[in-house]
Amino acid sequence: MTKPSLPELLHAAVTAVGGTERPGQVAMAEAVEEAIDGGSHLLVQAGTGTGKSLGYLVPALAHGERVVVATATLALQRQLVERDLPRTVDALHPQLRRRPEFAMLKGRSNYLCLHRLHEGVPQDEEEGLFDQFEAAAPTSKLGQDLLRMRDWADGTETGDRDDLTPGVSDRAWSQVSVSSRECLGASKCAYGAECFAEMARERAKLSEVVVTNHALLAIDAIEGAPVLPQHEVLIVDEAHELVSRVTGVATGELTPGQVNRAVRRAAKLVNEKAADQLQTAAEGFERLMELALPGRLEEVPEDLGYALMALRDACRTVISAIGATRDKSVQDEDAVRKQALASVESVHDVSERITNGSEWDVVWYERHEPRGGAAYRHSGASLRVAPMSVAGLLREKLFADRSVVLTSATLKLGGDFNGVGASLGLAPEGTEGDDVPQWKGVDVGSPFDYRKQGILYVAKHLARPARDGDRGDMLDELTELIQAAGGRTLGLFSSMRAAQLAAEELRSRIPEYPILLQGEETLGELIKNFAADPKTCLFGTLSLWQGVDVPGPSCQLVVMDKIPFPRPDDPLMSARQKAVEEAGGNGFMAVAATHAALLMAQGAGRLVRASGDRGVVAVLDQRLATARYGSYLKASLPDFWFTTDRNQVRKSLAAIDAKARQTEETEAAEAAEETDGD
């Protein structure tokens, strides 16, 4: 039998999902097929509406080798496993003559732990375990969540937290889940044969397609012990998020509360001398954390260094002591011991990493406002350590022994892929060398006509924004734009404080346009309410720049208050920028401008989500039009029609608003007629 061609397979898959085949999707599928067949690497930018999931799934399934697909968001994971993969597998089955299996795999703490559920949770203050269901008041939110999870446990097939609807708080979930360090192991656990996490891993081992998240991909790369099954092809969707997610996994944190928790958990499992040593070290660390000043620690102060060494050494003593003693009077001793070890080992590892003082690590101190209450009195101080760069790690671990495809709507910054490539550890495209991963960048475009559907407006007349300065002129401009648009505005702010100030001011200025503010409700509720009422505006910060998908008339104006450069006092970003400069490069462009370009590209992408969308992206920061780096930032955005003419923009917004209102009135009248007819 002749092997079916890629166009035939793609056509079958697109038809099965009720989609429309697009040139960009075909070009993407062909590029993915070429990369997989050649064992090379591909960065492919595919604009919103391209249908990129089928653009990589079809050639990957046709190839017949195991593929891991890693995404940044739960929404895309669910879309792949619940919609795209089932339909695609069914559609391709007649031509491939096989039905590839697929599975989702997450980190262990995402699955219900039956041991925790049935045997109880180790507690800090006393020996043994306690029944969390009896301890929580049944009328409390925690108690209600726990009882609901116990009922859910009887019927769930996956034990996956994300299959529990409605969801529960992190506090409630922590009562019935364990980290990989806390897990007893299937062979030692009485519930090992029924373990949801182990069953998920077994399903993954038997599947041709494994859908996971960036965090688990990072753990697989960093920790050495493989958590993902062996695979020949890796596809990273939402790849613009990968570096930040890997950095997050590779970041260590130490707080007084965390250290004191380790002391409590270990105290009754070790001899008095070891317990006292850890207690003394914890008290010394806590005293210094109360005195420290926020900011990057280019050199760890001597007294803090001594405190960390004392903490490291005390943890080492306790770890040895826990392993050498047994106490059968402790209820479910193995579980209690495992949790204590996990806490102490975590403190030991971060303390040791900071005291080792690698030139490739950045260490800094943070202080946040305490959340209130005695239980949180130490929550405001933390010591953090993160890698200066994850490029080397990704080059070594990600691009070896498999073909890697990275895709997103925003990978081409400033006109090429080299900026994103460098952050992933890749040399400039076309660079030759024995140890240099070979890759190609492909932009398959977008099905949207951006120049006809959108305007990029820069408010060139506004004063240059100063850090934390009063921006009365910006608020005046924002007010006029919202009025011209008839609401319909997504406000993307560079800080939460700026979003709050703008919301407060505009609620009093233009009360006829409701202003929703991030943090006042869950993100899902905010987006739902924003989409439901065209007069409504939604203001917020980072997650809104990337997390809003509202096609249609409810989002016809996207406003960015200023270019989202990292804060000058951001310890990690400033350290990375300085390192580039010391190596002879342009630190500002390599770090700050790249960071801003990526966020702006994501933010501008909120405007046009469907072929009928029309609107304006308004940047209330003159630097996009006047600064030398402005052209780099503009080249990273969709190809909207560009203007600095404020009057023209107001007329355009008013016209778009009038047309939208006319459409809404027509649809309402038609709906009323249908109701009357019924």
Side-chain angles (χ1 to χ4, degrees):
M1 179 181 172
T2 305
K3 180 182 176 182
S5 69
L6 181 64
E8 290 172 335
L9 294 172
L10 186 61
H11 178 74
V14 170
T15 302
V17 300
T20 304
E21 203 168 285
R22 295 188 166 102
Q25 187 182 54
V26 175
M28 178 178 180
E30 290 172 345
V32 172
E33 181 183 52
E34 180 184 341
I36 293 174
D37 288 345
S40 60
H41 310 302
L42 175 71
L43 271 66
V44 55
Q45 177 163 291
T48 303
T50 302
K52 66 180 185 299
S53 58
L54 291 187
Y56 59 70
L57 285 177
V58 172
L61 289 169
H63 197 68
E65 296 182 296
R66 179 181 283 131
V67 56
V68 167
V69 180
T71 78
T73 62
L74 170 64
L76 183 53
Q77 288 170 48
R78 296 189 81 99
Q79 176 189 313
L80 288 169
V81 172
E82 296 175 6
R83 192 187 74 181
D84 294 347
L85 274 165
R87 294 179 183 179
T88 304
V89 165
D90 286 345
L92 301 188
H93 175 236
Q95 291 159 299
L96 294 178
R97 297 297 181 91
R98 57 187 171 84
R99 189 180 293 277
E101 295 291 327
F102 54 88
M104 189 186 295
L105 183 62
K106 303 176 182 179
R108 187 170 294 273
S109 61
N110 291 280
Y111 299 98
L112 181 81
C113 172
L114 292 170
H115 185 278
R116 276 276 175 95
L117 183 78
H118 296 302
E119 304 300 333
V121 179
Q123 55 184 334
D124 298 336
E125 291 77 13
E126 299 175 15
E127 294 176 319
L129 292 83
F130 73 100
D131 187 326
Q132 65 273 44
F133 299 96
E134 291 182 3
T139 55
S140 69
K141 180 67 168 66
L142 176 61
Q144 291 169 356
D145 282 345
L146 288 171
L147 292 172
R148 187 157 58 86
M149 285 190 290
R150 187 163 62 181
D151 292 339
W152 171 70
D154 292 334
T156 178
E157 294 181 1
T158 66
D160 185 336
R161 178 180 181 177
D162 294 314
D163 290 341
L164 173 62
T165 53
V168 296
S169 66
D170 289 345
R171 183 185 176 201
W173 185 255
S174 69
Q175 305 292 298
V176 295
S177 66
V178 295
S179 66
S180 56
R181 272 184 164 171
E182 294 171 320
C183 176
L184 291 171
S187 62
K188 295 181 179 180
C189 179
Y191 304 91
E194 310 162 65
C195 176
F196 291 117
E198 292 296 323
M199 287 193 289
R201 295 186 72 167
E202 286 303 311
R203 283 193 296 270
K205 288 178 184 176
L206 298 173
S207 298
E208 189 172 313
V209 181
V210 180
V211 179
T212 188
N213 52 48
H214 290 181
L216 200 62
L217 179 64
I219 291 168
D220 189 72
I222 291 169
E223 296 192 351
V227 292
L228 294 172
Q230 185 67 34
H231 53 281
E232 292 71 34
V233 179
L234 170 64
I235 296 171
V236 182
D237 205 338
E238 301 174 312
H240 62 279
E241 286 275 344
L242 182 62
V243 169
S244 65
R245 300 297 173 102
V246 174
T247 300
V249 169
T251 298
E253 183 177 31
L254 209 55
T255 69
Q258 173 194 357
V259 173
N260 288 329
R261 192 157 52 247
V263 171
R264 292 195 300 271
R265 288 177 175 172
K268 294 188 178 182
L269 294 171
V270 298
N271 58 66
E272 188 175 347
K273 182 179 179 182
D276 286 347
Q277 183 183 352
L278 184 57
Q279 177 71 51
T280 301
E283 290 170 354
F285 173 72
E286 184 175 343
R287 280 195 300 272
L288 286 172
M289 289 295 282
E290 292 298 322
L291 300 172
L293 296 174
R296 183 186 175 192
L297 306 177
E298 295 199 43
E299 289 187 12
V300 176
E302 188 176 24
D303 51 356
L304 181 58
Y306 283 132
L308 289 169
M309 284 189 282
L311 202 53
R312 175 201 63 192
D313 295 344
C315 286
R316 195 175 293 157
T317 300
V318 166
I319 290 167
S320 299
I322 287 178
T325 59
R326 307 294 294 179
D327 185 352
K328 294 299 182 184
S329 67
V330 177
Q331 180 190 349
D332 206 342
E333 183 190 10
D334 285 339
V336 175
R337 189 178 304 281
K338 194 74 174 179
Q339 178 160 327
L341 265 174
S343 289
V344 177
E345 285 172 349
S346 177
V347 173
H348 169 270
D349 292 351
V350 179
S351 301
E352 184 172 56
R353 182 176 171 186
I354 296 174
T355 54
N356 284 346
S358 168
E359 62 179 307
W360 306 112
D361 272 342
V362 179
V363 180
W364 71 97
Y365 174 95
E366 286 184 355
R367 180 176 292 283
H368 309 288
E369 288 299 318
R371 290 174 287 176
Y376 300 111
R377 59 194 172 94
H378 304 302
S379 64
S382 65
L383 200 59
R384 309 191 80 195
V385 55
M388 178 80 73
S389 167
V390 295
L393 171 72
L394 291 173
R395 181 175 59 249
E396 178 186 351
K397 302 291 187 181
L398 206 67
F399 296 99
D401 304 322
R402 59 185 167 187
S403 177
V404 182
V405 174
L406 300 109
T407 184
S408 167
T410 48
L411 290 179
K412 191 176 180 182
L413 302 180
D416 62 45
F417 292 90
N418 288 329
V420 169
S423 71
L424 297 166
L426 298 171
E429 187 175 0
T431 302
E432 299 290 338
D434 292 338
D435 297 323
V436 178
Q438 296 300 302
W439 64 281
K440 183 169 75 171
V442 175
D443 181 0
V444 301
S446 167
F448 304 139
D449 188 341
Y450 285 119
R451 290 191 69 79
K452 288 185 177 179
Q453 290 184 245
I455 296 170
L456 174 62
Y457 164 60
V458 178
K460 190 177 177 181
H461 62 283
L462 296 181
R464 185 184 177 101
R467 184 182 173 190
D468 297 330
D470 176 38
R471 297 198 66 196
D473 59 345
M474 184 275 288
L475 293 173
D476 292 341
E477 182 78 8
L478 179 57
T479 302
E480 293 176 16
L481 288 170
I482 290 174
Q483 288 174 319
R488 312 179 193 276
T489 300
L490 176 64
L492 304 176
F493 291 83
S494 52
S495 70
M496 201 59 230
R497 179 174 177 272
Q500 290 165 342
L501 289 173
E504 182 180 340
E505 177 67 22
L506 268 67
R507 280 169 174 168
S508 62
R509 289 191 187 193
I510 45 174
E512 65 272 27
Y513 299 110
I515 308 287
L516 304 175
L517 179 64
Q518 186 179 356
E520 292 183 347
E521 294 180 71
T522 66
L523 187 57
E525 281 296 309
L526 288 171
I527 294 173
K528 178 183 173 183
N529 293 336
F530 175 52
D533 180 6
K535 293 185 70 174
T536 298
C537 304
L538 172 58
F539 289 4
T541 184
L542 193 58
S543 59
L544 294 191
W545 289 74
Q546 307 181 78
V548 177
D549 184 9
V550 180
S554 289
C555 184
Q556 295 186 329
L557 172 62
V558 174
V559 178
M560 304 180 197
D561 70 326
K562 63 180 179 180
I563 297 171
F565 292 122
R567 291 179 64 90
D569 58 0
D570 182 305
L572 189 54
M573 288 294 191
S574 59
R576 288 175 171 173
Q577 190 165 320
K578 183 178 178 182
V580 172
E581 290 164 357
E582 289 175 348
N586 186 327
F588 172 77
M589 291 302 295
V591 179
T594 298
H595 172 87
L598 189 57
L599 269 181
M600 291 186 75
Q602 282 288 310
R606 302 309 98 200
L607 180 69
V608 177
R609 310 298 295 178
S611 58
D613 288 350
R614 300 287 186 276
V616 173
V617 172
V619 181
L620 309 186
D621 186 336
Q622 58 153 275
R623 293 174 294 177
L624 188 61
T626 60
R628 284 182 297 175
Y629 51 77
S631 58
Y632 170 82
L633 297 175
K634 280 192 289 183
S636 306
L637 304 179
D639 186 27
F640 296 128
W641 186 74
F642 176 73
T643 185
T644 58
D645 186 335
R646 58 193 302 204
N647 293 323
Q648 180 59 52
V649 164
R650 281 159 182 69
K651 289 177 184 176
S652 296
L653 282 170
I656 293 168
D657 173 48
K659 185 174 182 180
R661 280 189 284 111
Q662 184 179 18
T663 301
E664 288 158 9
E665 289 168 3
T666 301
E667 290 175 350
E670 290 174 351
E673 286 178 11
E674 288 179 11
T675 303
D676 292 341
D678 293 341

